[in-house]
Amino acid sequence: MARSPLSIVVTASGGRDEFRTGLESLRPTLGVHDEVGCVVAADRADLRAEAAGHRWLSVYPDIAGALAATGQPVVVLLDGDVLVTPSNQYG
């Protein structure tokens, strides 16, 4: 059964390696119409650089901007160091 598209907002936190691993675990779970926004604090140039390397997500300076940009009826908020596995994919 197909699921509805999602808006996913990731709050970047922790170390760059954990953030990268979290994004890498999220990517294969996304549907074609899902959208991903990432909130990266201005003082986290390391995480901003990591997020910039992923063209499938948009970067926002604050949660309000990310939430305002969502276009899907369901929004999932994730911490940047969360690991998404095939057994807990959205749907």
Side-chain angles (χ1 to χ4, degrees):
M1 174 188 242
R3 65 164 174 76
S4 298
L6 302 172
S7 292
I8 300 167
V9 176
V10 178
T11 57
S13 62
R16 187 172 180 167
D17 289 340
E18 291 81 14
F19 181 52
R20 178 185 310 114
T21 300
L23 292 178
E24 289 172 353
S25 74
L26 174 62
R27 181 66 178 117
T29 70
L30 299 175
V32 174
H33 300 290
D34 293 340
E35 59 187 12
V36 180
C38 188
V39 179
V40 183
D43 64 343
R44 294 300 307 264
D46 58 334
L47 299 184
R48 186 170 296 280
E50 183 61 41
H54 300 280
R55 293 184 299 178
W56 50 271
L57 61 81
S58 300
V59 177
Y60 300 93
D62 56 46
I63 193 75
L67 291 174
T70 61
Q72 303 300 343
V74 176
V75 178
V76 176
L77 181 62
L78 297 175
D79 190 69
D81 60 359
V82 72
L83 294 178
V84 181
T85 63
S87 64
N88 65 359
Q89 288 183 12
Y90 311 110

